[in-house]
């Protein structure tokens, strides 16, 4: 088989006659990967996710509280989303066969690591590993603390679609900053010759330094 992975994208736009006139961008994404269980359906507005369908719980999930308060999710969406996934998988198989199983375009990911909040010693925080501009799914993300693997406190998002139909993905690590700790986020993808690793260590201001700063100021 020439094509290792194929992704099917179904789009819906709600605005306008040309991209130059579009004020808001609303789209529905159905993603599936051949020979894999990876699949999802989400609805976006101006690149922000309104909600997505969780294939395991068979429920619609609104990730952002501001959207959850103001955006109504049709009760029929979960059933519709399951149909979308089925259609996606059917179309991928048929299209791949019809095109003679073409080679999949592969784009390697880029990544960066940053904290969710300002870093203070001993104050719980979240490290974010942002992975983007890759195609196709999946990516595998792993964390270490001082070279030791970390799995506790790790959560991940589903895949999001970029405007050019590459994908982006977030992995979160709950942690408490301590002086001397070094964290790493490692990304694995079919487009990388070797895993992509980013290091991060907290820049902490000690209490004595803070007092000196306050006096000098």
């Amino acid at each position: 088989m020439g094509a290792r992975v194929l992704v099917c994208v179904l789009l819906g736009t709600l605005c306008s006659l040309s991209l130059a006139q579009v004020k808001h961008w609303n789209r529905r994404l159905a993603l599936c990967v051949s020979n894999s269980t990876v699949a999802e359906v989400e609805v976006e507005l101006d690149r922000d996710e309104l909600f997505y369908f969780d294939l395991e719980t068979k429920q619609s999930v609104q990730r952002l509280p501001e959207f959850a308060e103001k955006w109504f999710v049709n009760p029929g969406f979960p059933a519709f989303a399951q149909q979308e996934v089925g259609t996606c998988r059917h179309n991928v198989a048929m299209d791949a066969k019809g095109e003679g199983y073409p080679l999949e375009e592969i784009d390697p990911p880029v990544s960066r690591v940053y904290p969710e909040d300002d870093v203070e010693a001993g104050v719980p925080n979240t490290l974010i590993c942002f992975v983007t501009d890759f195609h196709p799914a999946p990516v595998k993300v792993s964390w270490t603390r001082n070279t030791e693997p970390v799995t506790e406190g790790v959560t991940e998002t589903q895949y999001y679609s970029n405007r050019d139909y590459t994908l982006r993905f977030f992995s979160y690590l709950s942690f408490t900053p301590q002086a001397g700790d070094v964290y790493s986020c490692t990304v694995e993808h079919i487009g990388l010759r070797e895993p992509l690793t980013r290091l991060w260590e907290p820049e902490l201001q000690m209490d004595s330094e803070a007092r000196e700063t306050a006096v000098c100021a």
Side-chain angles (χ1 to χ4, degrees):
M1 296 286 181
R4 296 182 63 178
V5 216
L6 288 172
V7 175
C8 175
V9 177
L10 308 176
L11 297 176
T13 59
L14 289 187
C15 299
S16 267
L17 302 177
S18 71
L19 288 178
Q21 297 173 311
V22 171
K23 295 182 179 180
H24 298 284
W25 183 272
N26 176 264
R27 66 178 177 174
R28 183 180 69 251
L29 169 72
L31 179 147
C32 61
V33 179
S34 61
N35 302 317
S36 171
T37 58
V38 174
E40 63 184 53
V41 178
E42 68 162 351
V43 177
E44 300 176 355
L45 178 64
D46 296 337
R47 297 191 69 192
D48 285 324
E49 181 187 75
L50 297 177
F51 56 90
Y52 72 96
F53 175 66
D54 189 316
L55 288 170
E56 293 186 2
T57 64
K58 303 295 188 295
Q59 294 180 342
S60 298
V61 180
Q62 294 170 288
R63 185 179 297 278
L64 300 178
E66 55 267 37
F67 287 144
E69 294 175 358
K70 300 177 181 179
W71 194 273
F72 172 75
V73 180
N74 191 309
F77 184 78
F80 171 79
Q82 291 184 77
Q83 292 178 354
E84 288 277 84
V85 170
T87 300
C88 182
R89 287 173 171 158
H90 172 79
N91 288 346
V92 162
M94 296 298 294
D95 291 345
K97 182 178 180 180
E99 294 294 328
Y101 298 99
L103 292 175
E104 182 75 18
E105 179 177 342
I106 298 175
D107 296 308
V110 295
S111 67
R112 66 187 181 100
V113 179
Y114 54 93
E116 182 176 40
D117 300 312
D118 292 338
V119 178
E120 298 181 48
V123 178
N125 206 325
T126 300
L127 269 183
I128 301 171
C129 187
F130 175 48
V131 187
T132 190
D133 296 338
F134 63 91
H135 183 273
V139 290
K140 179 182 178 181
V141 176
S142 56
W143 292 89
T144 67
R145 174 178 175 269
N146 300 329
T147 73
E148 294 295 323
V150 177
T151 56
E152 185 176 353
V154 175
T155 57
E156 298 178 337
T157 65
Q158 74 282 7
Y159 297 102
Y160 299 96
S161 173
N162 296 320
R163 285 285 181 91
D164 61 358
Y165 306 120
T166 59
L167 302 171
R168 63 188 188 276
F169 178 86
F170 296 84
S171 180
Y172 303 102
L173 172 64
S174 298
F175 78 113
T176 300
Q178 301 293 342
D181 283 349
V182 178
Y183 292 85
S184 76
C185 169
T186 298
V187 180
E188 298 176 58
H189 183 260
I190 188 176
L192 295 170
R193 293 184 178 180
E194 58 185 31
L196 174 63
T197 298
R198 301 293 185 196
L199 300 178
W200 182 90
E201 56 184 308
E203 296 181 1
L204 299 173
Q205 186 180 51
M206 306 307 292
D207 288 343
S208 59
E209 294 175 342
R211 285 195 296 270
E212 289 176 6
T213 301
V215 171
C216 292

